Amino acid sequence: MASVRWAFRCGSWTPSRSDWLFAARCVQREEKDRIGQFVFAKDAKSAMAGRLLLRKFVCERMGIPWSQIRLERSPRGKPYLVAPLQVTTSSDPSWSFNLSHQGDYAVLAAQQELQVGVDVMKTTMPGSSSVPELFRIMTRQFTAHEWSTIQSADSEHQQLAAFYRHWTLKESFIKAIGTGLGFNLQRVEFHLSPEPLTQGSVLRQTKMHLDEEPEEEWIFEESLLDADHHVAVALGPADKAVSAPLPPPATFTLLSFGELIASASPLTEEDPAYWEGFRMKAEAPPRQRDTRISG
């Protein structure tokens, strides 16, 4: 049972003209157009990195030529492979993959024979409200047990880190099962690992309760990409029985831009105007700090 964990630091990525135009040529036209509509360069970079991560994975790990890959989104926004149809054999089990981008990173998690969801969040102070006000707004998203854990942290920053840690866990599960905003987040409750979360390690001890019952079939991997970015990977049962034991937890591999496009091939002609649009966004005055709760 193979797994993939990749991360790309899009926050510090400052693409050159040739890099940006090449990247734009290597994604589907409708995705290129969607990325071009973002108001802020930060969002455009995150979205571009995400699409390149997906295509790199499908090309390199599923063995599908870059030019033949066709990705679509489910009504809930989860990416899936349309063409060519994935052929599953006993020697090549089916893959599940998921993507998240927030803060300074875009991340991809993939797993054979299991459902997978991933979410990354940066611990940042709220830009337009206080931490208590953020917690008040988000009261209904967590259970009493979870709020007790979050608010038991010593400092306000540690409370915020615990808040985002819980949020990534919930979002990773929601993304794995493909459910959108209609899911009541209080149905899932997380009991955190007693071990501290540190950079360079992956924890699997955190447990989930679903509708107040322990859920033993789901495994959650938690790690820190750096001191400020939590990432959670949810791994759950697929439609068929798992035939192989779960491999040891893997840390996220940080990719360079060269590694990100190592297998890429252009799908469209170069569009010089696309660079001008991006350059204007990149040179615009910085916006207020990004504190959105999203995946």
Side-chain angles (χ1 to χ4, degrees):
M1 184 192 297
S3 62
V4 172
R5 306 286 186 270
W6 287 337
F8 179 72
R9 194 177 179 100
C10 39
S12 58
W13 178 36
T14 53
S16 65
R17 181 181 186 276
S18 59
D19 286 347
W20 187 252
L21 290 180
F22 182 77
R25 296 180 66 195
C26 294
V27 299
Q28 290 163 212
R29 187 179 298 276
E30 66 273 18
E31 290 292 346
K32 172 195 163 190
D33 293 342
R34 184 181 69 86
I35 293 167
Q37 292 173 2
F38 283 109
V39 174
F40 299 106
K42 174 182 173 63
D43 296 326
K45 290 193 299 178
S46 296
M48 183 69 79
R51 303 319 289 181
L52 293 172
L53 279 170
L54 284 172
R55 299 188 73 88
K56 175 183 174 71
F57 163 73
V58 174
C59 179
E60 295 183 6
R61 296 306 174 95
M62 296 176 65
I64 298 172
W66 193 281
S67 61
Q68 295 180 25
I69 299 169
R70 179 73 187 177
L71 294 162
E72 295 288 354
R73 297 172 184 269
S74 73
R76 302 290 189 182
K78 189 172 183 178
Y80 66 94
L81 183 64
V82 176
L85 293 176
Q86 183 178 351
V87 178
T88 301
T89 66
S90 58
S91 61
D92 183 22
S94 62
W95 284 93
S96 174
F97 52 87
N98 198 230
L99 182 76
S100 178
H101 47 77
Q102 201 276 339
D104 297 332
Y105 289 90
V107 297
L108 176 138
Q111 196 83 30
Q112 284 184 312
E113 297 193 62
L114 295 172
Q115 295 184 78
V116 64
V118 65
D119 195 62
V120 61
M121 285 296 298
K122 182 177 183 180
T123 299
T124 55
M125 299 298 285
S128 58
S129 63
S130 64
V131 171
E133 178 64 11
L134 173 65
F135 288 179
R136 185 194 66 78
I137 294 170
M138 300 296 290
T139 296
R140 298 178 62 184
Q141 309 305 321
F142 299 95
T143 68
H145 170 82
E146 290 169 331
W147 277 120
S148 175
T149 301
I150 292 168
Q151 295 177 317
S152 68
D154 293 336
S155 68
E156 197 170 69
H157 187 270
Q158 289 173 325
Q159 290 183 19
L160 199 60
F163 169 87
Y164 284 122
R165 182 177 176 183
H166 280 83
W167 185 263
T168 61
L169 287 163
K170 292 195 181 232
E171 278 292 298
S172 69
F173 174 69
I174 297 302
K175 293 173 72 175
I177 62 176
T179 303
L181 297 175
F183 190 90
N184 179 4
L185 290 179
Q186 289 210 9
R187 291 182 58 196
V188 292
E189 177 179 275
F190 286 93
H191 294 243
L192 300 186
S193 165
E195 293 186 38
L197 191 58
T198 58
Q199 287 180 243
S201 64
V202 183
L203 297 184
R204 271 188 182 166
Q205 288 79 15
T206 289
K207 301 298 182 183
M208 181 180 75
H209 288 206
L210 180 61
D211 296 329
E212 301 183 354
E213 295 292 331
E215 185 57 66
E216 301 295 341
E217 290 188 309
W218 283 85
I219 294 170
F220 293 86
E221 296 180 351
E222 297 182 87
S223 55
L224 292 171
L225 297 177
D226 59 26
D228 297 322
H229 288 80
H230 288 81
V231 60
V233 178
L235 301 170
D239 294 335
K240 63 178 182 177
V242 175
S243 61
L246 192 66
T251 57
F252 277 80
T253 298
L254 186 62
L255 303 178
S256 66
F257 180 68
E259 292 168 325
L260 187 61
I261 61 169
S263 301
S265 60
L267 307 176
T268 59
E269 294 298 316
E270 187 172 287
D271 178 8
Y274 200 73
W275 165 252
E276 292 304 315
F278 174 77
R279 185 179 61 82
M280 292 176 64
K281 297 170 189 175
E283 294 176 354
R287 60 170 167 168
Q288 186 181 43
R289 187 167 28 186
D290 183 2
T291 57
R292 291 169 298 167
I293 307 295
S294 65

